[in-house]
Amino acid sequence: MPLVLAPVGKEVKIVKVVADEKTRKHLANLGILPEAVITVLSSSGGSTVCMIKDGRLALDRGIASRIFVA
């Protein structure tokens, strides 16, 4: 399922990131890689706020819909 549909407050594992090479590389630098664990803190309007490792990250709907989790 895409990250935008992930339940709030539950840890999920990133399965794949579907984006161009430049975007994937940028997300990888932020810690968004396959097998990484991520927690959605809030999802409202057009953005998704999530916790990865010890940092919070706000992603717009377009990017969050390209990150698939399980």
Side-chain angles (χ1 to χ4, degrees):
M1 88 180 103
L3 184 61
V4 294
L5 299 178
V8 175
K10 185 176 179 188
E11 285 189 348
V12 291
K13 187 185 289 189
I14 298 173
V15 177
K16 67 179 175 176
V17 178
V18 179
D20 59 47
E21 185 63 30
K22 181 180 177 184
T23 304
R24 273 199 320 251
K25 196 172 190 178
H26 177 67
L27 292 173
N29 288 334
L30 295 172
I32 299 176
L33 297 162
E35 301 298 316
V37 176
I38 192 168
T39 305
V40 176
L41 300 176
S42 71
S43 184
S44 62
S47 64
T48 300
V49 178
C50 53
M51 171 92 68
I52 187 155
K53 297 183 182 177
D54 291 330
R56 291 182 184 197
L57 186 63
L59 302 168
D60 73 353
R61 187 171 189 83
I63 295 294
S65 64
R66 295 173 184 260
I67 300 169
F68 290 87
V69 297

